Amino acid sequence: MKKSKSNIKIMAELIVLIKPMIPVIIFAVLLGISGFIAASAIPVLGASALMNILGLQNALAFKTAVILMVCAALLRGILRYGEQASNHYLAFKLLAIIRSKVFGTLRRLCPAKLEGSGKGNLIALITSDVELLEVFYAHTISPILIAAVTSIIYTLFIAYFSPLLGLIAAIAYITVGIFIPLRNEKNVKAPGREYNENSGELNTIFLDSLRGLKELMQYDCVDEKQEEILNKTITLENLQNDLKSREIKTTNITELTIYLFNIIMIFSAFLMYRSGSVGFSAALVCSVTLMSSYGPVTAISNLSNNLAKTLASGERILNLLEEEPETEDKTDGIDSLLEDINCQSIDFSYDKVKILDGISLKAEKNKITGLLGKSGCGKSTLLKLIMRFWDKDSGKILLSGNEIKEINTACLRENESYCTQETHLFNDTIANNIKIAKPKATQAEIEEACKKASLHEFIKTLPDGYDTQIGELGDRLSGGEKQRIGLARAFLSPAPIMLLDEPTSNLDSLNEKIILKALHENRDKTVVLVSHRPSTLSIAHRVYTVKKGAESQ
């Protein structure tokens, strides 16, 4: 399990992503600083106007003080709007950049990343986790910088009248803006991470339940699954309540601390006034300044409550961006036509479990090579190694005499078409789903591929023919129709090597015969055909048998 990062490290790494937007951040911070100073000036100017009424010296004229108060109030509104607009522009721009980076990383990590991964967790990461970062970029970076600068300005202003009162102000800002958030950060870090993990698990359960709703209804398991979702939801709600409770405690501690420092400031200023160290106007201005200047540091203190979930999301995203792929894409290797396969003594283990043990296979150019064996013996795994979804532990995989690791990944994908047991279909037309294998294919080429896959006659019976929408995940089609679309893709692909993993498992005997006949007549492709049925492999020129990860001819 990957070691957890500190929140400071997470924030530092998230800030690295904002380099292109530094000018916007500086602009937002300057607006924020100016806005808070304008806001604090209003009560200070009000105190000055009051002193003028009382006839005290060193006070602004009443009319001047009122005019300046109105100007400060208007300026505060304008500056606040500018700050928020800049922060949100920054946040949404960066969210788009991060989404692009996440999808780019998934492209680099897949398909191995999706093997056995909780899809709900990935969906939560791509959606809610990325969205939560808006809190960090729009409501965290600028407030921290604003709080630091304004606290220094307020401290120097108060220290101008009295160094001692300035010290009290500095301690107040440090306590509210640093000590309390750090204490709260330690208090909510673990619950925040646990909340995010449970949220991802709930997404996974819910997604699985939606996809398997028909099966749940068929076997009368809806109530059990509903109870599981309810229990997970209750767990999530309890975690949310726990975080809220901690948030309330922190808010109460912050307000109590502010009241205490206000009392200390007023009491100290009064004593200094009594002793003659400062005048009444200075004592009043210092007290009013402190009481009206907690806004920036209070924002930091309150941030620590919601920041727990935000930084937990940030950590998950950063961990994904830093994740290393099972196989690195090769870009400086061999580009050539690949027409035959030679696997020699292949060993492979997954999660320390031995899957393949010394398997050898030779698929000659333009011939059909069969791979026979029971489910779970490693047949599909061997195809994935030939696709280089993973790297073998030992042995050699040669394609046209070239070691697979030395072949450029793009070249490998161009030369191999892979039809899996489960065909993924997009919410699009039949034609567009098939054209994935060859985006610029003509209608005649698509129809020819469908004829080979025993699909053309079925499509002709549909009202919209090849333009028929198949729905999300192809839910308007049967399992056999989905599988034949996958086969049509393989037939349409110009790749000279065709890897077929149980391509007829969902088909009736008639459709299977049509497809096997098309494969047998297809003399311009090297085919590796995987099946657990000897009858399916009757068209193969050579058949290898796999037993518990070992191979025999």
Side-chain angles (χ1 to χ4, degrees), residues 153-169:
I153 292 173
Y154 292 140
T155 298
L156 293 176
F157 177 75
I158 294 172
Y160 171 78
F161 296 98
S162 168
L164 179 59
L165 297 180
L167 178 62
I168 293 172

Side-chain angles (χ1 to χ4, degrees), residues 205-391:
I205 295 171
F206 211 84
L207 184 62
D208 285 343
S209 300
L210 283 175
R211 286 179 173 173
L213 187 56
K214 288 187 292 186
E215 285 76 10
L216 291 173
M217 293 174 67
Q218 177 183 346
Y219 293 104
D220 196 23
C221 293
V222 174
D223 291 341
E224 288 81 353
K225 184 59 69 173
Q226 191 171 6
E227 185 177 356
E228 182 183 2
I229 293 173
L230 179 61
N231 289 336
K232 182 60 70 173
T233 303
I234 291 172
T235 300
L236 204 62
E237 183 181 9
N238 290 336
L239 288 168
Q240 176 74 21
N241 290 336
D242 180 44
L243 286 169
K244 284 291 183 183
S245 175
R246 294 167 190 260
E247 177 182 342
I248 292 170
K249 289 179 182 178
T250 300
T251 301
N252 291 338
I253 291 171
T254 300
E255 291 180 355
L256 178 61
T257 302
I258 289 172
Y259 290 141
L260 288 175
F261 274 107
N262 286 342
I263 292 171
I264 291 171
M265 173 62 80
I266 293 170
F267 186 70
S268 300
F270 176 74
L271 290 179
M272 294 181 72
Y273 166 69
R274 287 288 300 272
S275 66
S277 300
V278 295
F280 179 78
S281 59
L284 182 60
V285 166
C286 290
S287 299
V288 172
T289 299
L290 180 64
M291 288 187 289
S292 64
S293 63
Y294 285 110
V297 289
T298 302
I300 300 300
S301 182
N302 292 335
L303 269 177
S304 60
N305 298 317
N306 295 322
L307 208 55
K309 289 188 290 185
T310 302
L311 293 183
S313 296
E315 183 176 21
R316 280 160 43 113
I317 291 172
L318 289 169
N319 286 340
L320 177 71
L321 296 178
E322 295 167 1
E323 193 170 332
E324 293 297 326
E326 293 286 342
T327 57
E328 290 284 355
D329 282 1
K330 186 75 173 177
T331 57
D332 58 351
I334 299 168
D335 282 316
S336 67
L337 182 64
L338 309 175
E339 297 181 297
D340 61 73
I341 305 167
N342 187 359
C343 299
Q344 301 174 2
S345 304
I346 303 300
D347 290 339
F348 178 73
S349 299
Y350 187 76
D351 285 342
K352 298 180 180 180
V353 177
K354 193 80 167 182
I355 306 297
L356 299 176
D357 186 9
I359 283 188
S360 297
L361 174 145
K362 191 171 184 179
E364 297 180 27
K365 176 182 175 181
N366 297 343
K367 290 188 177 181
I368 299 174
T369 302
L371 201 56
L372 177 67
K374 295 180 180 179
S375 297
C377 66
K379 306 185 303 297
S380 300
T381 300
L382 181 60
L383 294 191
K384 290 173 182 176
L385 293 179
I386 296 173
M387 287 293 295
R388 202 167 174 250
F389 292 172
W390 294 291
D391 279 328

Side-chain angles (χ1 to χ4, degrees), residues 525-541:
K525 287 182 184 288
T526 302
V527 179
V528 178
L529 179 59
V530 167
S531 181
H532 64 279
R533 297 191 301 225
S535 60
T536 302
L537 301 179
S538 60
I539 62 168
H541 296 92

